Amino acid sequence: MSIPQRRPQTLAQKLIGRASGRSHVAPGEIVSSKVDLAMFHDSSGPRRLKPMLEELGAQIWDKDRIVLVMDHYVPEQDDDSRKIVRIARDWAAEQKLPHVYDSIGICHVVLPQKGH
């Protein structure tokens, strides 16, 4: 009788597996996992997230685990970029988000620089 062997996992698989309480995950699987940090930026953030939360009747689960970085549309070059950044700034203030970084760098760099 042979023991089934599992294929090696990528770092992403290992992280998702750990967050979902499983020893192994495979591509294509749908898992529920514990989120330790959620980062979004001015482009993908409030203008898309806010309507989804409202539609679901949901709120941010833990404001301390949310990081908003404004880096894609700053400095504002036109009316569209001004509107996008204004939505992000207003929503961050409305939500009282403690980790908001406005115009200080690229989101993927700002997170580790700020200890997230």
Side-chain angles (χ1 to χ4, degrees), residues 15 18-19 33-39 61-62 64-67 116:
L15 293 171
R18 184 175 65 183
S33 61
K34 195 173 184 182
V35 176
D36 57 354
L37 182 73
M39 181 276 297
W61 82 102
D62 185 344
D64 216 30
R65 294 177 183 244
I66 299 289
V67 178
H116 299 285

Side-chain angles (χ1 to χ4, degrees), residues 47-96:
R47 68 188 176 124
R48 293 190 172 103
L49 181 61
K50 181 181 177 181
M52 285 189 278
L53 289 173
E54 289 172 351
E55 183 178 329
L56 294 169
Q59 296 178 346
I60 295 174
W61 82 102
D62 185 344
K63 292 177 185 178
D64 216 30
R65 294 177 183 244
I66 299 289
V67 178
L68 170 59
V69 181
M70 272 153 301
D71 67 344
H72 282 59
Y73 286 92
V74 290
E76 302 97 318
Q77 298 293 321
D78 55 29
D79 287 339
D80 288 339
S81 61
R82 278 188 281 284
K83 181 180 177 184
I84 290 166
V85 171
R86 175 56 42 215
I87 290 169
R89 288 176 179 148
D90 289 349
W91 191 73
E94 174 188 308
Q95 295 295 311
K96 297 181 175 76

Side-chain angles (χ1 to χ4, degrees), residues 101 104-116:
Y101 303 104
I104 66 166
I106 299 167
C107 60
H108 303 283
V109 176
V110 170
L111 258 61
Q113 285 179 333
K114 295 298 182 179
H116 299 285

